[in-house]
Amino acid sequence: MDREERIKNACKKIVECINAMSFVNLDDQRVHSLVMMREIARGVVENRDRKVTKSDVTRALHSSIEKMASACRDIVYKLSKMSYKGLDDERIQSLLRVKEIACKHAKVASVGSDLLIRESLVGEETLTSNNIDALVGGAEIMMIEGSLEVEAEVQNEDGHNAVQKRPVTRAKRACDKGVQDREAQRKILEDEPVEVEAQLGNEDDQNQEQEALSQPPLPQALIWPADDRVTLQWIQDVTSTIKQFSDNHTPSEFHSIMPIAVANKLIDSASSILSKEPNCVEIDCHGEDSRVVVVGDIHGQFHDLLYVLENAGFPSENQFYVFNGNYVDKGAWGLEVFLLLLAWKAFMPHRVYLLRGNHESKECTLTYGFEKEVKTKFGDQGEYVYNKCLECFKVLPLASIIAGSVYTTHGGLFRSIRIASSRRSRRKRIRRLELGSLNELSEVKRSLIDGPYEGLNILLADVLWSDPSLRQGLSKNKARGRGLWWGPDCTEAFLKMSKLKLIIRSHEGPDVRAGQHHLGDMLSGYCMDHDGESGKLYTLFSAPDYPQVEFGRKLYTNEGAYAVLKSPNFESPSFHSFKAVERPKADPFFTVDDEDKKASSNHEDEIASEDVDDEIDLGEQDLTSMQAQTSTAAISSSQKSSPVGMTSEVDFEALGISNPPSWTVLLPDDVDGTKLVQVPQAPEVEGLPLPPNLEEPHKSAYEYFFKLIAGLKHMLQTRETETKVQKRRRHG
């Protein structure tokens, strides 16, 4: 046996000896030292090269407390369910005494454990005697595993005394005022006769406590892996714990099984991976047996996500997953969905790819329930966890390229942000809607929490919010309030330009497609929207019976679907529809009032934006035509820049005017430059008609000026309307 092996064996014995010890009558500092020693020895055994920190000790003690609390909850649950028929009064009294003690200590341990986690989040502060007092105080509970025999002392599996007789500490008294003083607690643990006193002040409270005790015990709290490495076993524990919890417990108890420290570690771990990925991730899956599963919108439907993972097969060396976003909102388990997918990402970063959807934003989560959900599940710490999720949303990639032939994203195609410069002038041309490229997508600043309505990063909103149409070309998506509509010609051009063969996007479910007869209704979970020479476009939606809970509007009995792409023909997907699985009744954290207010706001924006866009589009068309016919030197000429026929009737030279005012004005653009804009003719002109006795050339000149002034006034009013619309969108 070499030296390294001997050291490991010695450290292993140290760990076993400390685990077998009883901490009865040890002071706080000795408990801390023993746990620190055990963690150092465990690090040697497990080949960990990093130093043991105070947080490691905190986690170790937290783990012990949680295990003990879980054992006490199991005792309470089993004693609540068992029949006392055939037992004499003495045994019944003993059982009730054990149940009372277990109930008290389960509560104390849970509070003490929660205190530990909150302290660990503050920073790397020194563990004082008060901290240790809280740790040991939380651990001082009676632990009974596997047996309901009532004895004065209970033995654990290793045969060691598991009954703690140490006096109650300051932390325990602070956590539970109902716990008796130290002497009374010692007598209870030594099985001396103590009368069971009423813990609550009235019968209603007693009934509520009895009802709570009759509920199934909370699953054991999740613990972050000691070596910071997510494993398959840990993911399975997360899945089963969340599923068991969702079946039997209320959302406000969620932090009891997912401590804030675990959620914090998980989000940080996944975010560090996601932040290093490009805007458009390239998935190399050319193996002979490679498969890629593409999943659409999930919207907090945790149980349906589990079905997809189990039915399609879990991620593995040969099986990749691409999720197209919209993990949260409008469903009861958005947080659970997001955390589980982050766990898979942390475990298999090159097999699981998480893209961003339009609901992974602050704007949507404030309206559609995710913020309320997180704050309900984490209470006072909810704001902190919600902000952690928002930060994680900002690093999610926007699109993927699978095997060099398939493009996936949440919304769809996007505009070009290139600015073409005029050869005859330093002034920049008006930006028109042109199809964007993958190179432009790679340059977008995705760290914005909400997709902008304008500016250089408007492409972020496009890729998250756009929808396909059967109408050719690109146009502004007035139904959404942002993003684009793109036609079959754009799909064809994008595939050809990018040398791709297939597009799979999401974003639209049966609610959006309802009443749209030109595209599929999405009741099967997928639909082919475009079919061209270069390839096809599919929309994929993975939330069956969407929305998850009926909250005052029509509930669609749609199927969800996922796509499977196989080597070598990744461009020929197979789609698998599935019905909703059975799930508990739950609050979606979203009401019809929220939906109505959002829909009303969008409708107002749509109406206003239609008027503004019509004016802007008309002006752009007139200006483009004008620029094609004139040089920069001639722009100031009234003959070239005025409405047709108007200047020909005015003899400005006879009036001594050599440079009359132009119908073209220079305005700032969206990229810190300037642009020429044609002044539109106003529908009404104040001051006309003129007096009949007015003679030429004055009459024509006056008409010219009145019409120009009216046009400028109309233009200013239009721009003010546009500004108000944009403000409503930003704050709506």
Side-chain angles (χ1 to χ4, degrees):
M1 182 182 297
D2 58 16
R3 181 172 178 271
E4 182 178 351
E5 196 66 26
R6 287 198 301 270
I7 293 174
K8 283 188 177 182
N9 285 340
C11 288
K12 187 176 181 180
K13 289 182 179 179
I14 292 173
V15 173
E16 292 173 349
C17 289
I18 295 176
N19 284 338
M21 290 179 63
S22 171
F23 291 173
V24 175
N25 298 324
L26 292 183
D27 60 28
D28 300 335
Q29 190 58 47
R30 288 180 180 176
V31 171
H32 175 267
S33 300
L34 284 170
V35 174
M36 176 68 80
M37 187 186 305
R38 184 187 66 184
E39 293 307 303
I40 293 172
R42 181 177 289 163
V44 175
V45 174
E46 296 177 357
N47 291 319
R48 290 187 301 210
D49 53 1
R50 63 181 182 84
K51 293 182 178 180
V52 175
T53 64
K54 300 178 184 67
S55 61
D56 292 326
V57 177
T58 301
R59 280 199 298 268
L61 288 166
H62 166 66
S63 174
S64 299
I65 294 171
E66 286 295 338
K67 288 178 180 178
M68 295 177 183
S70 179
C72 283
R73 287 192 291 264
D74 288 341
I75 292 171
V76 173
Y77 177 66
K78 290 175 182 177
L79 290 178
S80 299
K81 292 297 184 182
M82 74 177 291
S83 173
Y84 296 152
K85 187 177 180 180
L87 298 179
D88 56 30
D89 292 342
E90 184 178 353
R91 283 189 172 273
I92 292 175
Q93 187 69 14
S94 298
L95 287 173
L96 291 175
R97 187 156 59 247
V98 170
K99 180 178 174 182
E100 181 192 21
I101 295 169
C103 180
K104 286 182 180 179
H105 289 297
K107 291 179 181 179
V108 173
S110 295
V111 176
S113 175
D114 214 29
L115 179 62
L116 269 181
I117 295 303
R118 294 187 184 185
E119 289 177 347
S120 67
L121 290 174
V122 174
E124 292 295 323
E125 60 185 16
T126 304
L127 284 175
T128 64
S129 59
N130 288 338
N131 299 127
I132 303 302
D133 199 22
L135 302 183
V136 179
E140 290 172 346
I141 62 177
M142 183 168 76
M143 182 174 179
I144 304 175
E145 294 192 8
S147 174
L148 293 177
E149 291 293 329
V150 180
E151 301 289 346
E153 293 184 346
V154 180
Q155 300 280 316
N156 62 20
E157 293 180 0
D158 297 325
H160 298 287
N161 189 354
V163 180
Q164 298 293 326
K165 300 181 181 180
R166 187 174 179 271
V168 182
T169 60
R170 296 185 300 276
K172 284 185 67 177
R173 291 201 309 275
C175 295
D176 189 351
K177 295 181 180 179
V179 179
Q180 299 176 342
D181 61 25
R182 296 182 179 181
E183 287 300 318
Q185 190 70 13
R186 182 183 296 111
K187 290 180 180 180
I188 290 176
L189 292 175
E190 291 175 353
D191 202 31
E192 294 182 6
V194 177
E195 181 180 356
V196 180
E197 297 180 355
Q199 297 300 308
L200 301 171
N202 55 60
E203 290 185 3
D204 290 339
D205 289 341
Q206 289 177 350
N207 292 336
Q208 291 176 7
E209 180 173 307
Q210 189 64 34
E211 182 179 348
L213 291 175
S214 65
Q215 295 294 323
L218 282 166
Q220 184 173 330
L222 294 163
I223 301 171
W224 183 250
D227 57 358
D228 288 334
R229 293 182 180 180
V230 173
T231 63
L232 179 59
Q233 180 60 55
W234 192 79
I235 292 178
Q236 291 171 344
D237 290 343
V238 170
T239 303
S240 60
T241 298
I242 291 177
K243 188 175 185 304
Q244 181 183 349
F245 174 85
S246 67
D247 290 341
N248 300 296
H249 300 281
T250 61
S252 60
E253 297 178 287
F254 182 73
H255 65 277
S256 298
I257 59 126
M258 176 67 72
I260 189 172
V262 177
N264 190 65
K265 279 281 191 179
L266 177 55
I267 295 172
D268 283 346
S269 179
S271 296
S272 66
I273 298 170
L274 293 164
S275 63
K276 296 180 178 66
E277 294 181 335
N279 287 345
C280 184
V281 293
E282 295 189 13
I283 303 173
D284 183 11
C285 51
H286 292 286
E288 184 177 348
D289 299 324
S290 293
R291 285 165 36 110
V292 181
V293 180
V294 183
V295 182
D297 297 39
I298 301 173
H299 281 298
Q301 300 189 191
F302 179 76
H303 303 80
D304 295 311
L305 170 62
L306 295 187
Y307 173 85
V308 171
L309 291 169
E310 293 169 2
N311 196 61
F314 294 103
S316 64
E317 191 63 26
N318 294 324
Q319 175 133 313
F320 298 72
Y321 267 86
V322 177
F323 293 88
N324 272 355
N326 275 18
Y327 312 110
V328 303
D329 282 340
K330 299 187 181 182
W333 299 284
L335 183 60
E336 287 88 332
V337 166
F338 190 53
L339 292 178
L340 178 60
L341 292 179
L342 290 182
W344 276 108
K345 182 64 181 179
F347 176 52
M348 303 192 80
H350 302 297
R351 293 296 180 270
V352 176
Y353 293 90
L354 307 180
L355 308 184
R356 184 175 175 182
N358 65 303
H359 278 267
E360 277 70 67
S361 64
K362 185 173 185 178
E363 175 186 13
C364 283
T365 53
L366 287 174
T367 302
Y368 294 107
F370 183 66
E371 181 217 21
K372 182 179 178 182
E373 175 190 348
V374 175
K375 291 184 177 180
T376 298
K377 292 178 178 178
F378 277 98
D380 294 340
Q381 299 295 323
E383 184 72 23
Y384 173 82
V385 178
Y386 174 65
N387 288 328
K388 290 288 292 187
C389 290
L390 293 182
E391 290 301 310
C392 188
F393 291 165
K394 288 164 32 174
V395 297
L396 291 169
L398 305 177
S400 76
I401 300 293
I402 301 172
S405 62
V406 181
Y407 171 76
T408 84
T409 189
H410 180 73
L413 302 190
F414 44 90
R415 74 191 75 190
S416 173
I417 54 175
R418 292 176 300 174
I419 304 297
S421 300
S422 170
R423 295 180 179 179
R424 300 182 181 181
S425 172
R426 292 183 179 180
R427 295 191 181 101
K428 297 176 181 178
R429 291 181 180 177
I430 296 299
R431 185 171 58 198
R432 299 180 60 80
L433 290 178
E434 297 179 0
L435 192 62
S437 67
L438 291 176
N439 285 337
E440 291 177 283
L441 178 61
S442 67
E443 298 171 358
V444 172
K445 182 181 179 181
R446 75 178 193 242
S447 59
L448 301 175
I449 189 56
D450 293 312
Y453 289 92
E454 57 188 9
L456 288 176
N457 284 293
I458 195 172
L459 195 153
L460 174 62
D462 288 350
V463 78
L464 297 179
W465 286 87
S466 295
D467 295 310
S469 169
L470 294 184
R471 184 178 179 180
Q472 303 287 8
L474 285 175
S475 60
K476 296 178 181 178
N477 193 328
K478 296 173 182 177
R480 297 278 191 185
R482 73 186 79 184
L484 304 171
W485 280 312
W486 81 91
D489 58 328
C490 297
T491 295
E492 178 69 17
F494 182 81
L495 290 172
K496 188 173 294 185
M497 171 177 60
S498 307
K499 298 179 181 179
L500 300 170
K501 299 178 181 179
L502 175 68
I503 298 175
I504 299 179
R505 47 88 62 175
S506 299
H507 192 40
E508 290 182 289
D511 56 332
V512 178
R513 290 289 178 91
Q516 296 185 21
H517 304 296
H518 58 287
L519 292 174
D521 56 20
M522 294 301 296
L523 293 180
S524 297
Y526 70 99
C527 176
M528 184 179 69
D529 296 324
H530 295 163
D531 185 4
E533 180 181 346
S534 298
K536 299 177 181 179
L537 164 71
Y538 286 95
T539 294
L540 178 66
F541 195 78
S542 302
D545 286 0
Y546 174 82
Q548 184 183 54
V549 181
E550 187 170 5
F551 33 81
R553 66 176 188 177
K554 182 179 178 182
L555 178 66
Y556 295 89
T557 55
N558 63 292
E559 295 179 317
Y562 60 89
V564 177
L565 288 61
K566 296 181 181 179
S567 178
N569 300 316
F570 290 101
E571 67 275 12
S572 301
S574 60
F575 290 88
H576 302 261
S577 299
F578 61 95
K579 296 184 181 297
V581 300
E582 185 177 354
R583 55 201 174 209
K585 292 182 180 179
D587 178 10
F589 304 100
F590 171 71
T591 65
V592 68
D593 292 337
D594 299 327
E595 175 77 355
D596 287 344
K597 285 186 287 187
K598 187 68 176 178
S600 175
S601 174
N602 284 346
H603 182 63
E604 292 174 3
D605 289 349
E606 178 184 344
I607 293 173
S609 66
E610 284 182 3
D611 296 337
V612 174
D613 290 344
D614 288 344
E615 289 290 348
I616 294 174
D617 291 344
L618 177 61
E620 289 178 351
Q621 291 170 7
D622 291 344
L623 179 60
T624 302
S625 174
M626 176 198 70
Q627 285 181 319
Q629 299 174 11
T630 61
S631 66
T632 305
I635 286 178
S636 62
S637 172
S638 64
Q639 299 295 327
K640 296 292 183 179
S641 59
S642 305
V644 177
M646 185 174 293
T647 55
S648 61
E649 300 176 359
V650 183
D651 186 1
F652 284 107
E653 292 183 0
L655 295 170
I657 301 175
S658 59
N659 187 21
S662 170
W663 279 72
T664 303
V665 293
L666 194 64
L667 297 175
D669 60 15
D670 297 331
V671 289
D672 298 327
T674 57
K675 61 182 178 181
L676 285 170
V677 178
Q678 180 81 15
V679 178
Q681 295 192 56
E684 297 182 4
V685 180
E686 297 179 18
L688 296 182
L690 295 170
N693 59 347
L694 195 63
E695 298 180 355
E696 296 291 353
H698 297 85
K699 181 179 180 179
S700 297
Y702 286 168
E703 287 182 349
Y704 178 91
F705 289 131
F706 274 126
K707 290 181 179 179
L708 178 57
I709 291 170
L712 289 168
K713 183 178 180 180
H714 178 66
M715 188 177 185
L716 288 173
Q717 292 173 339
T718 300
R719 291 177 65 83
E720 287 176 358
T721 302
E722 180 184 6
T723 302
K724 290 179 181 178
V725 169
Q726 291 174 348
K727 287 182 178 179
R728 282 205 304 272
R729 287 173 177 169
R730 292 192 188 100
H731 304 292

